[in-house]
Amino acid sequence: MPLQSRHLLGLDGMTRDDLQLILDTAVSFREVLDRPIKKVPPLQGKTVANMFFENSTRTRLSFELAERRLSADVLGFAATGSSVSKGETLKDTARNIEAMKVDMVVMRHSASGAPHYLSRVIEANVINAGDGSHEHPTQALLDMYTIREKLGRLQGLHVCIVGDIAHSRVARSNIFGLITMGARVTVCGPATMIPRDIEKLGVSVCHHIDEVLPSVDVLNVLRIQLERDAGRLFPSIREYHNYYGITRKRLEKAGRTITVLHPGPINRDVEISADVADGEHSVILQQVLNGVAIRMAVLYLLSTQN
Amino acid sequence: MRRLKAQIIDQDGFDRTTIRLAHEILEKNKGAGNIVIVGIRTRGEFLAHRIARIIEEVEHTKLSIGSLDITLYRDDLLGKLEQPELKGTDILFDLNGKDVILIDDVLFTGRTIRAALDELIDLGRPRTIQLAVLIDRGHRQLPIRADYVGKNIPTSSQESIRVHVREVDGEDAVLLMHPEE
């Protein structure tokens, strides 16, 4: 069964079968990454354009690597120094790129919904690499893959997402995906960071991390936007660290083994302490590796749909 | 729907053929010392395990056995009507310098074997790659031949061959099917 959509715009509304298919397909690509020659030919002759209208290092490199390892031709594009700074509209930029016979477009944009709009005006398959504070589907998929790899399942697990839920596309995509896969999700953070009515998505809300930790299997620690949020959403970095920072002491007090994820880049000793980030329960670097496999799976499944 | 035209190999024939193939492999390689076995998913994988078991019994040794999923190397991947399911390649040993016995159920156009050879060579540099198939039905489209053949069966290109193995089909048999109606 191929995926139901020609695009990957978000995990909201995606079926369990489709999520399962992507996660299972990624297992095969994960194996390719262990080979001496980490390259396979299924996207030979296909061209993928990476349109990053917003800064990104990890996601852009991960997509680029995934595309190259599938033998696709890769077009890079960064908003700074391009025609975008000359006032060209998104539609015109995309149409011009498509006129060069591009088969797929991977897009990161600061405006929520930008890739959805794009998918309606061009023929190529569109993959959302993060749109505003809306969705970041491949990040959530690689998080779920990593959890499943470590704990063997998603069904029935209790996952706590801690940090700025209101502005996080990573949190939203994770919530949609995890709930569809049968996990229980709690979001945790100061009230300024939790959107009102978030319970309607099927999650529980908690403002005290120590209350929820004793029942948690997996912690997904979100990055704090230091430059933007300190003094605005919380009084100080030190206070945030004291109340919500994930430290070894905190995890030990919970009295159970908790797997720790972080989408990166991490602020050491702010949202996560260095000894946890580098500790035995952290799967942060596995996430990075699995991200390549997940993106290979998505590119492969969309391009071989016919 | 395809109708059955004839059963070409039954259970006893199946056993005799795999035993013969195993012995031919041993004879040509002068023992099992440098051999590794790789089956092409899905039917070839089961045949690989059968043949490996026979070689292990005869030689009192343990063989490395792997499975190859050639989907990513197919030349018709982007034109297929139905998306093939990825089952994954599973070769957990070093191929460098080995004599790889590549096993598939039916040799037909040769395109599967071309894909398998490309994938194997991306995985390492074997000393030799030798091909063993249960059935060779002709109609090659590429310059490829098998080193070990269970049975040559002349067919028309519209007919089809079905290999059944106990593990998935509940019986060991080879069936010749009429052209699609």
Side-chain angles (χ1 to χ4, degrees), chain B:
Chain B
M1 269 295 283
R2 289 175 180 274
R3 281 185 305 111
L4 178 68
K5 186 172 179 184
Q7 181 169 16
I8 294 161
I9 297 183
D10 60 7
Q11 181 68 63
D12 290 343
F14 202 100
D15 290 341
R16 278 193 290 270
T17 308
T18 46
I19 291 169
R20 198 192 77 235
L21 284 171
H23 283 277
E24 282 180 11
I25 291 165
L26 279 176
E27 188 182 4
K28 174 143 179 225
N29 290 279
K30 301 187 174 63
N34 197 43
I35 282 180
V36 298
I37 306 274
V38 173
I40 298 177
R41 285 189 199 269
T42 45
R43 296 295 188 281
E45 183 189 356
F46 296 109
L47 279 173
H49 279 92
R50 300 282 184 88
I51 290 171
R53 209 171 308 137
I54 299 164
I55 293 177
E56 286 175 344
E57 270 170 31
V58 174
E59 294 285 301
H60 306 290
T61 179
K62 199 87 188 105
L63 290 178
S64 298
I65 309 167
S67 314
L68 204 60
D69 179 347
I70 56 104
T71 307
L72 297 172
Y73 286 76
R74 291 174 72 129
D75 56 12
D76 59 352
L77 189 57
L78 299 176
K80 287 283 289 179
L81 286 175
E82 229 173 272
Q83 191 166 48
E85 183 192 346
L86 278 188
K87 299 189 181 75
T89 288
D90 191 15
I91 296 180
L92 302 170
F93 45 86
D94 193 1
L95 294 176
N96 288 307
K98 293 291 177 188
D99 294 308
V100 175
I101 311 297
L102 180 64
I103 297 182
D104 203 4
D105 54 353
V106 179
L107 179 56
F108 182 30
T109 61
R111 286 178 191 269
T112 300
I113 304 305
R114 193 282 308 164
L117 292 175
D118 280 351
E119 180 159 13
L120 281 176
I121 284 161
D122 279 355
L123 292 170
R125 188 181 185 284
R127 197 177 75 90
T128 62
I129 300 176
Q130 302 162 31
L131 177 62
V133 297
L134 191 63
I135 304 295
D136 182 348
R137 59 170 292 197
H139 305 286
R140 214 77 77 240
Q141 295 171 356
L142 297 172
I144 278 171
R145 55 145 187 83
D147 300 273
Y148 314 96
V149 178
K151 198 174 172 70
N152 282 294
I153 300 176
T155 57
S156 92
S157 57
Q158 270 77 48
E159 289 169 331
S160 93
I161 296 278
R162 285 219 185 123
V163 172
H164 283 181
V165 293
R166 215 179 312 132
E167 292 86 338
V168 267
D169 310 295
E171 58 162 2
D172 290 335
V174 177
L175 312 174
L176 178 61
M177 311 301 284
H178 278 291
E180 194 113 36
E181 282 163 8

Side-chain angles (χ1 to χ4, degrees), chain A residues 31-51:
Chain A
E31 178 267 322
V32 171
L33 299 179
D34 287 332
R35 297 183 183 182
I37 296 175
K38 301 167 183 53
K39 190 168 180 141
V40 285
L43 262 65
Q44 231 166 54
K46 294 264 182 183
T47 307
V48 187
N50 296 317
M51 301 175 62

Side-chain angles (χ1 to χ4, degrees), chain A residues 40-61:
Chain A
V40 285
L43 262 65
Q44 231 166 54
K46 294 264 182 183
T47 307
V48 187
N50 296 317
M51 301 175 62
F52 281 71
F53 293 92
E54 197 185 71
N55 285 337
S56 159
T57 308
R58 174 178 334 238
T59 305
R60 187 169 53 80
L61 288 179

Side-chain angles (χ1 to χ4, degrees), chain A:
Chain A
M1 273 290 284
L3 293 176
Q4 284 181 14
S5 170
R6 288 188 58 238
H7 312 285
L8 178 69
L9 302 175
L11 300 193
D12 186 11
M14 190 179 271
T15 63
R16 193 172 174 139
D17 283 349
D18 277 2
L19 290 170
Q20 194 81 48
L21 175 63
I22 296 172
L23 296 174
D24 290 346
T25 304
V27 176
S28 294
F29 289 111
R30 181 62 192 75
E31 178 267 322
V32 171
L33 299 179
D34 287 332
R35 297 183 183 182
I37 296 175
K38 301 167 183 53
K39 190 168 180 141
V40 285
L43 262 65
Q44 231 166 54
K46 294 264 182 183
T47 307
V48 187
N50 296 317
M51 301 175 62
F52 281 71
F53 293 92
E54 197 185 71
N55 285 337
S56 159
T57 308
R58 174 178 334 238
T59 305
R60 187 169 53 80
L61 288 179
S62 180
F63 265 111
E64 209 172 300
L65 200 54
E67 291 149 10
R68 291 183 194 280
R69 298 214 148 145
L70 292 169
S71 307
D73 292 316
V74 179
L75 261 179
F77 170 95
T80 43
S82 76
S83 52
V84 174
S85 50
K86 297 177 187 164
E88 191 178 47
T89 65
L90 174 59
K91 185 174 177 177
D92 284 328
T93 306
R95 284 227 167 131
N96 274 281
I97 286 177
E98 195 177 38
M100 299 179 209
K101 301 281 178 209
V102 165
D103 301 289
M104 305 180 96
V105 174
V106 175
M107 185 166 82
R108 154 86 47 111
H109 202 286
S110 57
S112 300
H116 304 68
Y117 168 72
L118 197 70
S119 72
R120 289 194 294 270
V121 295
I122 64 173
E123 276 300 308
N125 308 90
V126 177
I127 299 176
N128 181 1
D131 62 325
S133 49
H134 182 220
E135 283 228 42
H136 191 350
T138 56
Q139 177 69 45
L141 285 163
L142 76 88
D143 290 348
M144 291 194 282
Y145 182 94
T146 307
I147 295 169
R148 198 178 74 160
E149 182 184 62
K150 175 94 176 173
L151 301 175
R153 67 197 166 101
L154 292 165
Q155 173 85 40
L157 291 180
H158 185 194
V159 180
C160 177
I161 307 172
V162 54
D164 186 0
I165 309 299
H167 298 97
S168 173
R169 53 193 175 209
V170 175
R172 287 176 58 87
S173 290
N174 261 286
I175 290 170
F176 293 129
L178 284 167
I179 288 178
T180 306
M181 295 307 290
R184 187 155 71 87
V185 181
T186 300
V187 296
C188 180
T192 48
M193 290 179 159
I194 306 283
R196 186 189 297 188
D197 289 338
I198 183 95
E199 294 91 342
K200 286 185 180 159
L201 296 182
V203 303
S204 315
V205 175
C206 174
H207 296 297
H208 302 282
I209 186 75
D210 295 310
E211 283 176 10
V212 69
L213 282 183
S215 69
V216 159
D217 301 297
V218 177
L219 256 183
N220 200 341
V221 186
L222 301 179
R223 173 183 165 77
I224 289 299
Q225 304 279 336
L226 295 177
E227 49 305 320
R228 191 187 65 194
D229 298 333
R232 199 169 67 92
L233 295 178
F234 50 89
S236 72
I237 289 171
R238 209 185 106 188
E239 185 159 329
Y240 185 86
H241 183 70
N242 284 342
Y243 279 92
Y244 296 100
I246 303 305
T247 60
R248 182 167 286 268
K249 206 171 127 201
R250 229 175 208 136
L251 291 179
E252 275 166 8
K253 222 175 81 190
R256 61 187 292 158
T257 305
I258 299 176
T259 300
V260 180
L261 287 82
H262 191 302
I266 60 176
N267 297 305
R268 282 179 183 265
D269 298 319
V270 181
E271 70 268 2
I272 187 168
S273 70
D275 54 357
V276 173
D278 304 328
E280 69 274 27
H281 302 309
S282 155
V283 288
I284 295 173
L285 293 178
Q286 279 96 303
Q287 286 175 270
V288 178
L289 176 61
N290 293 339
V292 178
I294 276 289
R295 291 175 177 120
M296 287 172 82
V298 169
L299 289 157
Y300 167 78
L301 287 169
L302 290 179
S303 66
T304 56
Q305 253 171 352
N306 299 306

